[in-house]
Amino acid sequence: MTDALKLLIQPLGQTIVMILASTLLATMFGGALGILLFALSNDHFAGGRRGSLIAKHVADRVINMLRSFPYVILMVLVLPLSRLIVGTSLGTTASIVPLSIAAIPFLARIVESSLSEVDSGVIDAAISCAASKRRIVFAILIPEALPSLVSGLTLTMISLLGYSAMAGVIGGGGLGDLAIRYGYQRFRGDVMAVAVVAIVVLVELIQFAGTALANRIRSSR
Amino acid sequence: MFHAERPEEAADQALIAQPSYHTPQRGDLFEPARAPFQNLSVSPQTSPPEVMRIDGISKAFGGPPVLHNISLSVPKGSIHGIIGKSGAGKTTLIRIAGLLEKPDSGSVWYEGIAAPVHLLRGRELLEARRKAGFVFQSFNLFASRSAAENVAFPLEAAGWPRAKIRGRVAELLELVGLSDKADRPAMHLSGGEKQRVAIARALANHPAILFSDEATSALDPETTRSVLDLIRSLRQMLGLTVIMVTHQMEVVRRTCDTVSVIEDGNFVEEGLVAELFANPRSDAAKAFLKEDRND
Ligand SMILES: Nc1ncnc2c1ncn2[C@@H]1O[C@H](COP(=O)(O)OP(=O)(O)OP(=O)(O)O)[C@@H](O)[C@H]1O
Ligand SMILES: [Mg+2]
């Protein structure tokens, strides 16, 4: 059993690195894309114009397509892209590329819907305060939507944890890989159990932190 | 049909050729000597002497028109009421006048701006919006901000430095009697307090006009009276011009100098509030008065 615990250390680190790095990238790119999707369909921003309608339609199709790809296939398909971006198509670093690409459209949808849920009267108030569109997004809409954005980000991280279990396919390591290699291929039930428990604990931790943060923001208002 | 490519353009030109903001009905209703809307011959190409003027506004949302060729001009320092039943078009009208919505045809003018403000874009549009404060029935405070931070937002948007914002916010909260609630989260205020914060926020950039869309409809009678009294005293202190949309005669009687009665997107009666109460002409006005007496 202590042997099993020792085996856990490195994969745990790999999983945490994969999740944190891809969450960070998804927040940057998915967040920006989500704001764009929102702006394209809100009449005060870019909504209602012909160009916006077309752009939104194209973006919707691309996002839905990316989201409907089974992750294992997406991972293999972006191998060349990983090589281009991080210089290798194998290993933990390389796994961050497909994880981010899976998370970006997911998070973009979450950001889009969180921003759309902000009461239109609040947007009217911000408009009548003579604020620029950029300021309305960053100083009003994002703070107003923050609890829902935090919940969405929590959801994204937990999905990423699930996806990261498949990183073994491209040599990314991590907890899922450990469970498969030792537990399934080498009949080490104890290692598999430890790995699965570690994943469960990670999910609980992420969910707990996310819920606590969202509640804290809500109760301060 | 080469001449009718853009009917609304033709309509615009017709408006410029013969300004229609002095409609026959209005001429009938007002004795020029006492009329609050004076018979001004203003070229629509220059900024109006009134604080705000709308000329021949029409608006539809895909279906039948919600506003039909509505005109209104409001002299400085007056409180003008717009009363009408639910669905009459009050909100649509005040949103167009307050630059939250665009008219299909017609134009909106603000004092000191030489172009129709509804056509402005970018920076110029933001500048025009600074001349207009807007308060809403549902308050629409920013939940993520305290009372003081709500009031600070329009100042931040106008690029004020932090130190100056603090002073101005304190001044505004004092004006609406909420100095002691500055750091309260907006959602922890009572309805009346929320509307006072909203009024302070609307006044932050020294607007010339305050637009109020049913600002007191969500408040109890006592709070309603105190908010209406606040608006009257602000007019006195700041020389503010106020446009108040309401469906309550009580609000008109208590607060307004002049009033327009709107029905199905048309003004059916306009005049001094005292005259309306003494001698209502339209059926709509009579109905409102009857309702008012029964309350
Ligand atoms: N954004 C919109 N899209 C479609 N129809 C609208 C829109 N806004 C208003 N309308 C319609 O226009 C008409 C007038 O609405 P408006 O909100 O101006 O009335 P109101 O006089 O303010 O009524 P209330 O007293 O109920 O607030 C209504 O029939 C309404 O359904
Ligand atoms: Mg209304």
Side-chain angles (χ1 to χ4, degrees):
Chain A
M1 196 67 189
T2 43
D3 172 41
L5 282 177
K6 249 185 223 145
L7 285 171
L8 190 69
I9 296 172
Q10 200 201 9
L12 180 64
Q14 290 168 334
T15 293
I16 291 176
V17 166
M18 284 190 281
I19 293 177
L20 289 184
S22 52
T23 300
L24 188 74
L25 288 167
T27 305
M28 283 162 49
F29 293 103
L33 186 57
I35 291 171
L36 188 72
L37 291 173
F38 165 80
L40 287 174
S41 46
N42 183 292
D43 276 354
H44 175 65
F45 293 87
R49 292 171 211 162
R50 207 184 150 75
S52 303
L53 242 65
I54 296 169
K56 179 73 168 61
H57 187 76
V58 172
D60 279 344
R61 298 287 78 71
V62 172
I63 285 174
N64 290 350
M65 194 185 74
L66 278 175
R67 289 194 59 191
S68 55
F69 259 88
Y71 181 66
V72 184
I73 296 173
L74 182 76
M75 201 163 50
V76 176
L77 279 180
V78 300
L79 284 179
L81 191 63
S82 307
R83 199 173 295 127
L84 197 74
I85 298 175
V86 295
T88 169
S89 56
L90 286 175
T92 307
T93 316
S95 319
I96 293 170
V97 176
L99 281 174
S100 304
I101 288 175
I104 286 170
F106 187 80
L107 196 69
R109 283 291 187 224
I110 283 170
V111 170
E112 179 190 18
S113 85
S114 294
L115 295 180
S116 308
E117 275 162 25
V118 174
D119 181 33
S120 71
V122 166
I123 302 182
D124 285 338
I127 297 170
S128 79
C129 287
S132 65
K133 292 174 185 181
R134 177 189 298 261
R135 186 178 294 274
I136 293 175
V137 169
F138 290 99
I140 300 296
L141 290 178
I142 291 177
E144 291 289 305
L146 205 55
S148 138
L149 288 171
V150 168
S151 303
L153 199 63
T154 308
L155 198 66
T156 308
M157 286 180 83
I158 289 173
S159 306
L160 279 171
L161 188 58
Y163 290 156
S164 76
M166 288 177 247
V169 174
I170 56 167
L175 293 169
D177 183 43
L178 179 75
I180 300 271
R181 272 194 297 128
Y182 281 77
Y184 181 67
Q185 291 167 355
R186 300 190 198 171
F187 307 106
R188 286 283 304 269
D190 58 337
V191 179
M192 185 191 261
V194 166
V196 170
V197 168
I199 293 176
V200 172
V201 169
L202 273 182
V203 170
E204 288 290 346
L205 278 178
I206 296 169
Q207 187 64 61
F208 175 80
T211 309
L213 185 59
N215 283 343
R216 201 189 148 125
I217 299 168
R218 278 202 191 91
S219 68
S220 73
R221 326 195 137 166
Chain B
M1 295 291 281
F2 63 95
H3 56 282
E5 254 176 40
R6 274 194 61 219
E8 63 275 27
E9 193 168 72
D12 282 351
Q13 267 149 17
L15 266 176
I16 290 168
Q18 11 160 248
S20 68
Y21 45 95
H22 302 295
T23 53
Q25 306 98 286
R26 183 176 293 159
D28 296 343
L29 284 169
F30 292 122
E31 292 170 50
R34 293 170 57 199
F37 312 96
Q38 288 157 28
N39 218 12
L40 297 157
S41 55
V42 181
S43 152
Q45 299 303 332
T46 59
S47 83
E50 312 95 322
V51 171
M52 188 213 70
R53 193 182 76 228
I54 60 182
D55 284 340
I57 293 287
S58 296
K59 178 78 179 176
F61 294 99
V66 169
L67 296 176
H68 307 265
N69 194 30
I70 291 240
S71 299
L72 173 70
S73 72
V74 184
K76 199 174 181 63
S78 66
I79 301 184
H80 184 77
I82 296 172
I83 189 167
K85 284 189 295 199
S86 184
K90 306 182 294 293
T91 295
T92 307
L93 175 61
I94 199 171
R95 284 174 62 85
I96 290 172
L99 298 178
L100 290 176
E101 194 117 48
K102 285 196 188 287
D104 292 342
S105 59
S107 54
V108 183
W109 300 83
Y110 287 176
E111 180 188 51
I113 299 180
V117 287
H118 70 286
L119 295 177
L120 298 178
R121 308 171 125 262
R123 256 174 195 291
E124 288 179 331
L125 177 59
L126 294 186
E127 282 307 319
R129 285 203 176 112
R130 292 202 174 101
K131 289 185 160 270
F134 213 108
V135 289
F136 307 84
Q137 175 172 0
S138 49
F139 320 128
N140 297 345
L141 293 187
F142 309 129
S144 53
R145 291 174 166 238
S146 68
E149 288 164 346
N150 265 274
V151 179
F153 180 65
L155 302 169
E156 292 165 14
W160 286 45
R162 250 170 209 287
K164 276 184 75 188
I165 289 180
R166 198 168 313 143
R168 176 72 180 143
V169 167
E171 190 179 294
L172 286 157
L173 286 175
E174 166 120 48
L175 198 63
V176 298
L178 282 178
S179 300
D180 54 329
K181 306 269 163 69
D183 296 325
R184 280 271 180 99
M187 295 302 115
H188 292 197
L189 298 165
S190 73
E193 289 165 348
K194 280 182 187 158
Q195 199 58 292
R196 283 165 186 270
V197 171
I199 291 171
R201 181 177 68 182
L203 297 179
N205 279 313
H206 301 284
I209 323 152
L210 179 67
F211 293 96
S212 156
D213 186 6
E214 308 263 16
T216 57
S217 297
L219 304 174
D220 64 48
E222 198 188 322
T223 316
T224 294
R225 281 192 290 276
S226 81
V227 168
L228 293 178
D229 290 349
L230 172 68
I231 291 176
R232 276 196 81 89
S233 75
L234 288 172
R235 180 267 291 268
Q236 207 67 37
M237 268 186 284
L238 309 175
L240 201 61
T241 305
V242 186
I243 300 190
M244 298 194 82
V245 153
T246 182
H247 64 273
Q248 297 166 304
M249 214 54 182
E250 153 92 24
V251 171
V252 172
R253 183 178 47 207
R254 198 172 177 90
T255 328
C256 301
D257 309 316
T258 51
V259 62
S260 304
V261 182
I262 185 172
E263 193 174 39
D264 295 332
N266 294 296
F267 281 165
V268 292
E269 181 160 356
E270 290 175 278
L272 295 171
V273 170
E275 278 177 7
L276 183 90
F277 274 88
N279 182 23
R281 291 159 224 246
S282 63
D283 292 342
K286 284 174 190 159
F288 273 114
L289 280 177
K290 199 165 158 221
E291 208 176 282
D292 186 49
R293 266 182 231 112
N294 293 341
D295 278 348

